[in-house]
Amino acid sequence: MREKGSYERLLGAFHRGEAQVLIGTQMIAKGHDFPNVTLVGIVSADTTLNLPDYRAPERTFQLLTQVAGRAGRDNVPGRVVLQTYEPQHPIIRFAQQQDYVGFYHYEIMERKKMLYPPFSLFLRIVFSDRNEQTVRDACLSYAKQLETELFCTLGEEGKNDLLLLVAAEAPIARISGFYRYQIVLKLLRTKRLRSAVNTVTAFHDLHRTDCREAILEVNPQEMF
């Protein structure tokens, strides 16, 4: 996909039967209806399962069921071949069986055990700069001050509401020449949650830095 319009041209050729095999990333998994597709192969189905993100199991299940749904959409039955290093993993098994209800019950219990959303709230602030030392120092200083503000808001009664506050290099550490660090907070859902979030957002508005990206994310769609 190197030129404008190439995506549409390729899909059009495949739909018309001019191409018999289509190889791609998850771009080709969603929203397409190819009636003549009878075989779908999924390579390294567990790749997304091992990403450092609490949504990874949900996204893996979603992606696998979506890709599998491209086969057998007409009168001819379809077949799906799934390659994985973890064939017995519950998420892989639920996707293989197209068991949405089973997946939900398994995943909600896992999140409850780990205190992941909806049983907690994640907040994420990203910093970036062309100088790694500058962005690292800014992120660590910001995190230390924010932690002090939060503990003042939560008080003695709520000191255990802050389950996590970590400032570290982002999983994708560099993009387009910019080094990236991030602060990730995890807050327990209690009566003090609203006050804690208000403290974070107010601090975010008041303490500006040249190497802080503008967005404060609540339960971010990705943790990279």
Side-chain angles (χ1 to χ4, degrees), residues 54-123:
Y54 75 93
R55 298 180 192 266
E58 176 185 354
R59 286 187 170 143
T60 300
F61 177 83
Q62 179 187 53
L63 181 59
L64 295 182
T65 52
Q66 285 177 331
V67 174
R70 299 313 99 198
R73 299 180 66 84
D74 202 2
N75 296 324
V76 181
R79 183 183 180 209
V80 179
V81 178
L82 189 153
Q83 182 265 320
T84 173
Y85 294 101
E86 302 180 66
Q88 300 306 317
H89 194 288
I91 301 302
I92 301 295
R93 303 298 291 179
F94 287 129
Q96 179 192 23
Q97 297 159 11
Q98 303 280 289
D99 184 358
Y100 297 88
V101 175
F103 163 75
Y104 167 78
H105 287 298
Y106 171 84
E107 180 62 14
I108 203 68
M109 290 305 298
E110 289 297 300
R111 290 196 184 190
K112 187 175 183 179
K113 285 190 289 186
M114 300 298 293
L115 289 176
Y116 287 157
F119 305 100
S120 67
L121 191 77
F122 275 110
L123 296 106

Side-chain angles (χ1 to χ4, degrees), residues 6-7 32 38 59 61 76 102 106 120 149-150 179 203 205:
S6 58
Y7 180 63
H32 301 300
T38 56
R59 286 187 170 143
F61 177 83
V76 181
Y106 171 84
S120 67
E149 290 287 327
L150 268 174
Y179 293 93
F203 189 91
D205 291 337

Side-chain angles (χ1 to χ4, degrees), residues 148-177:
T148 300
E149 290 287 327
L150 268 174
F151 279 133
C152 287
T153 298
L154 294 171
E156 186 65 25
E157 183 185 3
K159 64 181 181 180
N160 294 323
D161 289 4
L162 182 59
L163 301 172
L164 175 73
L165 193 159
V166 60
E169 189 177 59
I172 300 179
R174 193 178 184 190
I175 296 178
S176 301

Side-chain angles (χ1 to χ4, degrees), residues 132-147:
E132 184 176 11
Q133 188 64 46
T134 298
V135 68
R136 180 181 181 275
D137 291 347
C139 182
L140 294 178
S141 174
Y142 188 104
K144 187 175 181 180
Q145 295 176 66
L146 178 57
E147 184 178 45

